[in-house]
Amino acid sequence: MAPFLDLGAAYRELQSEIDAAVLASMRTGWYILGPDVEAFEADYAAYCQTAHCVGVANGLDALRLALLAMGVGPGDEVIVASNTYIATWLAVSQCGATPIPVEPQEATYNMDPSRIEAAITPRTKLILPVHLYGQPADLDTILAIARKHQLQVLEDAAQSHGARYKGRRIGGYADAAAWSFYPGKNLGALGDGGAVTTNNPEIADRVRVLRNYGSRVKYVNEIQGFNSRLDPIQAAVLRVKLKHLDTWNARRDVIAAHYNTTLASAGLLLPTVPQWANPVWHLYVIRTKKREALQQHLTDSGIATQIHYPIPPHLQQAYSSLGYKSGSFPITESMANEALSLPIGPQLASECQNKVIAALLEFQSFNARFY
């Protein structure tokens, strides 16, 4: 069996370090915020080359609290990627604002900067690009548009821990970045977790207040805040994993390169990486018009795959009130109908990857003979 992602293997590789960190955290007596969270925040801010990191409960809260801290509220519009997980949109809606979708570039799956200005209105407050599948969006171009129209930019970095844009780590390139530490992420906790990184001290301060009931001092509540705090045990686990993140990302890079080389003639649309991007291969996504048949062939061959994402946000029942129909965003819909994520992860054994490649080539050979 070739698993899609083996989280158990990731834990076993670092088991002694993780177990020791968790035990040490429990012995501190700090179970809400405290020194483990503060230490991780300092470590991750340094890793992302930013001045501030604020730990929160999960990736959705990281997006929502960052948006609120940046002044997004009822009546505002936020330009979002049409091709993304629904959390990007939900964060906007939960602030009382309206998500305004922009189609992706065919080659990169990320927001197409050439389409952004057409979506800007007097109500636009912010642009929210996603670094999808671990590959950076074109930040310089997006930031130039934002500055021209006096807009802020929040990066959805939930899938891109360690990725670089033009040689610089993402996380402090725009006004702020929101992170998820969901277990399956490149930097994943043993449960939910999230963070906001920024070089803006005012944004960081507002997120800290918002995450803790709107309070800086116990029982003194300045605003109507939330309960969204990174758990100290998860922070301790993340500190351990952060030390290994670059090594694990390098393993993903080797796996992606092997896919690129061996599948070049397999009749599939493979990922495209711009010269200025250093992705971290959170996902390795191919496209084919024969996705259902291919996925079934891989399943029959003992290979697990996933579809990211089968129903775009604009076609979800949750957003039916916006009035979008099938065909509203054809590039996004085409991707949703054709994209297939192959197994990738730092613990993926070479024999498992070779099994995936052999099955893909077998499928292509069969189709070449009979279709």
Side-chain angles (χ1 to χ4, degrees), residues 201-221:
E202 294 180 0
I203 292 175
D205 182 66
R206 285 195 287 267
V207 174
R208 287 192 184 95
V209 173
L210 284 165
R211 75 175 177 182
N212 191 39
Y213 296 96
S215 174
R216 300 171 203 271
V217 179
K218 194 170 186 178
Y219 303 130
V220 179
N221 302 84

Side-chain angles (χ1 to χ4, degrees), residues 124-145:
T124 305
K125 190 67 172 280
L126 184 144
I127 302 174
L128 179 47
V130 181
H131 303 304
L132 198 66
Y133 309 150
Q135 176 156 285
D138 188 357
L139 287 171
D140 277 344
T141 307
I142 293 170
L143 283 166
I145 295 167

Side-chain angles (χ1 to χ4, degrees), residues 5-6 9-11 13 248 251 255 345-349:
L5 180 65
D6 191 344
Y11 165 68
E13 182 175 335
W248 283 11
R251 291 187 202 169
I255 293 168
Q347 286 75 36
L348 182 67

Side-chain angles (χ1 to χ4, degrees), residues 33 37 66 71 75 134 179 182 205 251 285 354:
L33 298 177
V37 174
W179 303 87
Y182 181 79
D205 182 66
R251 291 187 202 169
V285 180
N354 289 333

